[in-house]
Amino acid sequence: MKPIKLTATVSLILLFMNLSAAQAQPSANISYNVSFPEAQAHYAEIEMHITGLKQNTLDLKMPVWTPGSYLVREFAKNIEAFSANINGQIVASPKINKNTWRVNTKGKAAVTIKYRVYANENSVRTSYLDVSHAFLSTSGIFIYPANMLHSPSTITIVPYKDWSKVSTSLEMVNNNPFVRHSPNFDILFDSPIEVGNQDIFGFDVNGVKYEVCMYGGGNYDKERLKKDMHAIIEQEAAVFGENPNKHYTFIVHNHLRGGGGIEHLSSTVLGASRDNYASEKGYQGFLGLVAHEHFHLWNVKRLRPIVLGPFDYDNENYTTNLWIAEGFTEYYQEIAVRRTNLYPPENYLDQIANEFNILENLPGKNVQTVAESSFDAWIKGYRPNENSNNTTISYYTKGAIIGMMLDLEIINSSNQKYHLDDVMKYMYNTYYKTKKRGYTDAEFKKGFEMFAGKKLDDFYKKYINGLDPVDYNKYLGYAGYKINDELADNNDAALGITTGTTAAKKVIVTGVTRGTAGYIDGINVNDEITAIDGNPITDAANLIAGKKPGDKIQVTVSRDGQNITLPVTLLKSNRVKYKIVSLDSPTPQQLAVRKKWLSL
């Protein structure tokens, strides 16, 4: 979050508010006390004080989703013991819909609201607390007065027992770390709070103060992290020409097995595995996560699709542009680490080839466009089922690939004068800084075309709104590379299923890939495979060992308590495993594009 007194904060608030609407809204003084008397049972207790009321009725609302995670999570489900008190008397506060309570305040200027929040969902996007710490994902903690999203608030944290630290991007009040201020609710809901005894260290990057807060321990090397995170942050800021923050907070939750992250305006929450920092693969993965979520402070938190702010906290906020907001961020997380020279170019090429493999091995690439994937994030992206691979793609993965394609197109078409960075900086300056609003799909397309020096109608028709196969060799060829399929010469037979083994050694089908032998011949998800060709099965490994494409087998399954034998004709595996390799004799032009692309 921007410091309260800085003029830049004004533009930040303008971004998230419609001033004419805000001026029409009533003003009030709002404060919260947050305490944890039953931390062992995962409860936070909230006391909300509102003064300066002038309306007859006060509606109090809990957001149904959190920005950055496109799923209606119904945070009101965790609220209990809601009560309203006016002048020392409990007053009626009926719930009028799933996330709204109504209080009759006619003639009353002040009201006190109390409620409890059950916080036991351990993820980067939801609140969790126990006796060791509290993570407050603020959109699921703080109820707000309807039509007062513009109102400032003060949050006082009452720590549990020996908790001594608070980590958040919200500003302190009178240098008290347990008292924080938010200029409005958009910023409050974009500023998670960590309370406990987390390990905190920091560093400065060109005048911006960074704080890293580690909960859960781990084998991390603070000095190495400081140096490498500093390098990544510098590379990302260089894309946009500035860092709009004065301070930024990384909240890192280290678990036995952890992952994921969620972006915020001036902070991020990361999930990590506490013992993975010592391996190069694990460490590079963590740096990629840092690079991804930190890049979001520009891409999506400020440079954003037009519908993503001001937010509607009651309903889904639809956009077809998550392939830019998330997919390009995925692309830049990889290219930013490449630019630091922490790892050789081959590491980056392997990462982008892995994106190819993920996309190409999904039958859903022939069903769902990347624009549709963005729009349907609310109903499909965060709600995968056993058939999702057959019908959907990830806007992260295909968006990252499109980012690479457009970067190479722009570099090649402009004779190395421009690259994707120039588009991102132009769009940031034009829409966030100058117009103070989000962009439309058509406006971003014009930005690409400006620096590519050509119309991209055909590109959009094929790859954004269409299902054309990606021409990897065309775009990689600009830089003197091509793809090799390391599985091209294999003649392996495949059933086309994924399985899991229960404690009782039952082999259960968990997925069936469209177009494969198992799909065509009727193997179902949740079937228990009991025998193949009459031979009992107790291990999922090597179900079809020694078989070849065209062989016919008898697969016996238990389905709903009945044994069924299915004749299956094995097919050749259609999986690909691409690797990016250099052309034998790249031209000077190709080498120049390569140098620009990979910062060689």
Side-chain angles (χ1 to χ4, degrees), residues 253-423:
H253 293 153
N254 293 302
H255 300 290
L256 178 62
R257 286 179 295 276
I262 188 169
E263 70 276 5
H264 295 286
L265 192 66
S266 301
S267 63
T268 185
V269 185
L270 309 179
S273 297
R274 65 171 63 95
D275 295 326
N276 273 8
Y277 295 95
S279 74
E280 275 307 303
K281 182 179 179 181
Y283 185 69
Q284 188 171 357
F286 180 74
L287 290 184
L289 184 60
V290 165
H292 183 103
E293 300 303 341
H294 183 265
F295 193 80
H296 271 311
L297 78 86
W298 295 276
N299 191 32
V300 91
K301 299 316 301 184
R302 291 169 174 85
L303 172 61
R304 60 180 176 82
I306 198 163
V307 300
L308 295 186
F311 291 119
D312 177 353
Y313 293 104
D314 286 339
N315 301 289
E316 298 87 343
N317 294 230
Y318 293 102
T319 174
T320 57
N321 292 130
L322 293 181
W323 60 273
I324 298 174
E326 289 290 357
F328 278 25
T329 302
E330 184 93 350
Y331 175 65
Y332 271 100
Q333 82 171 54
E334 295 161 349
I335 206 73
V337 176
R338 156 80 288 271
R339 291 173 180 174
T340 64
N341 287 313
L342 292 172
Y343 300 97
E346 290 73 23
N347 285 48
Y348 168 71
L349 295 176
D350 286 345
Q351 287 174 329
I352 200 71
N354 187 56
E355 304 276 11
F356 300 170
N357 294 331
I358 292 171
L359 178 66
E360 294 304 318
N361 287 314
L362 286 177
K365 71 182 185 296
N366 301 315
V367 178
Q368 188 183 54
T369 70
V370 74
E372 291 169 341
S373 176
S374 299
F375 194 84
D376 283 344
W378 295 93
I379 59 171
K380 294 184 179 182
Y382 284 85
R383 289 188 174 123
N385 61 27
E386 70 280 356
N387 198 45
S388 293
N389 286 348
N390 291 328
T391 61
T392 66
I393 60 168
S394 167
Y395 47 79
Y396 286 86
T397 300
K398 192 166 185 181
I401 293 168
I402 289 169
M404 180 210 72
M405 294 160 69
L406 286 169
D407 201 1
L408 286 166
E409 182 67 57
I410 292 166
I411 295 170
N412 186 69
S413 297
S414 68
N415 290 318
Q416 304 91 56
K417 183 178 180 181
Y418 302 118
H419 57 159
L420 189 59
D421 291 19
D422 296 287
V423 180

Side-chain angles (χ1 to χ4, degrees), residues 134 239 305 320 501:
V239 174
T320 57
T501 304

Side-chain angles (χ1 to χ4, degrees), residues 182-203:
S182 178
N184 58 55
F185 280 96
D186 285 309
I187 290 177
L188 178 58
F189 294 150
D190 219 0
S191 304
I193 303 170
E194 176 75 19
V195 191
N197 294 308
Q198 58 271 24
D199 183 20
I200 298 175
F201 60 92
F203 53 90

Side-chain angles (χ1 to χ4, degrees), residues 430-448:
T430 300
Y431 292 95
Y432 167 64
K433 296 186 70 175
T434 303
K435 296 182 182 293
K436 296 179 173 30
R437 65 168 175 82
Y439 57 82
T440 66
D441 183 74
E443 287 166 342
F444 221 120
K445 179 173 176 286
K446 286 182 180 179
F448 294 135

